[in-house]
Amino acid sequence: MNETTIRTSNGTTIAAFSVGGTVMSAEIRTEFSTVRDRDTHIGNGKMLPGQVYNEASTVQDVWIRTEDGKEMKLAFQPLGLAMRAGHAVVFMCGKDDKGQTWCLGARNLATGEIKTSSSFAKKMAGDAGAKGGPKLPFSAWWIQLPALLFAAFVFSNMEGGRYWMMYFLSTVFWGGIGMLVIHIWRLSKRAETVGKEVIVIVRERLEALPAR
């Protein structure tokens, strides 16, 4: 296993590792986990229990023998790379903050096929706190917040009359919700943009490997 770092043009770094060897076996299985939603407060100190349900996910178990003769099991969501026993393969993966392995890309050195995952790269980029992304005017909170308060004050004085405080608080609330939605959108677009560059880097590294 070789630890490596993927660094994008905007400075985002993703800790990854590459591992290669000869396939011994490759199987796909379905894994079930129990998920419980948060409880909902319905007033008077009463809580409505969250819904409990089972969630299924597909996992690929790949056993390989590395060049030093050691046997290793890799378990991750499948990329769709065709392989069979005896094929030489290389995987480039990363781990999120929960320790789950995400395979960013893989190459079958026997067939030359390469598979990558933009969705997994976006996930890793989001965990890494992707920098950059789409620029929005007045995006800094220290500009947005005073602007929101000023706009709410002007609007409440124009429309509110003796109810100006109600209008003011309502405008601040919905304006804050709008700012939060925009912030979440920006984070998603950042991760998506960085994730695409990560995939380009992963593919370049895999293509540079000699065929076997």
Side-chain angles (χ1 to χ4, degrees):
M1 182 182 300
N2 298 317
E3 295 185 355
T4 183
T5 299
I6 299 174
R7 185 181 300 275
T8 63
S9 59
N10 72 343
T12 300
T13 58
I14 294 179
F17 65 90
S18 62
V19 59
T22 303
V23 177
M24 300 172 61
S25 66
E27 298 179 353
I28 295 179
R29 59 183 169 84
T30 301
E31 195 174 70
F32 295 92
S33 59
T34 301
V35 180
R36 186 178 187 278
D37 293 335
R38 292 183 178 180
D39 296 341
T40 303
H41 183 260
I42 57 177
N44 297 324
K46 296 181 179 179
M47 301 293 291
L48 180 66
Q51 184 179 3
V52 179
Y53 54 94
N54 290 326
E55 193 173 66
S57 59
T58 303
V59 179
Q60 184 171 27
D61 294 326
V62 180
W63 279 93
I64 64 173
R65 179 178 285 110
T66 59
E67 293 182 354
D68 58 5
K70 294 181 179 179
E71 296 183 1
M72 176 182 296
K73 176 185 176 182
L74 297 173
F76 45 75
Q77 293 189 23
L79 290 175
L81 181 71
M83 69 185 87
R84 63 175 177 80
H87 281 179
V89 294
V90 175
F91 300 94
M92 187 166 291
C93 309
K95 286 190 177 183
D96 60 20
D97 51 2
K98 296 180 180 180
Q100 182 176 353
T101 300
W102 299 86
C103 190
L104 303 175
R107 180 181 177 183
N108 187 325
L109 300 178
T111 64
E113 182 183 20
I114 294 177
K115 290 288 187 178
T116 58
S117 174
S118 298
S119 60
F120 296 169
K122 178 180 177 181
K123 170 77 169 77
M124 294 299 299
D127 289 346
K131 303 175 182 177
K135 301 298 183 180
L136 299 179
F138 308 107
S139 59
W141 67 268
W142 50 273
I143 296 179
Q144 288 180 337
L145 184 58
L148 173 62
L149 294 176
F150 177 75
F153 177 78
V154 172
F155 175 76
S156 60
N157 277 278
M158 291 176 58
E159 303 292 335
R162 61 178 180 172
Y163 300 106
W164 74 272
M165 180 59 72
M166 180 182 67
Y167 280 92
F168 176 79
L169 295 176
S170 177
T171 303
V172 171
F173 174 78
W174 289 110
I177 294 296
M179 289 171 60
L180 179 61
V181 170
I182 292 175
H183 177 67
I184 294 174
W185 175 81
R186 292 184 71 244
L187 291 179
S188 177
K189 296 302 291 185
R190 285 177 181 177
E192 181 179 351
T193 300
V194 174
K196 290 179 179 179
E197 187 175 353
V198 168
I199 287 301
V200 171
I201 296 173
V202 169
R203 178 171 286 274
E204 288 177 349
R205 294 185 182 182
L206 291 173
E207 288 176 346
L209 297 173
R212 296 182 186 177

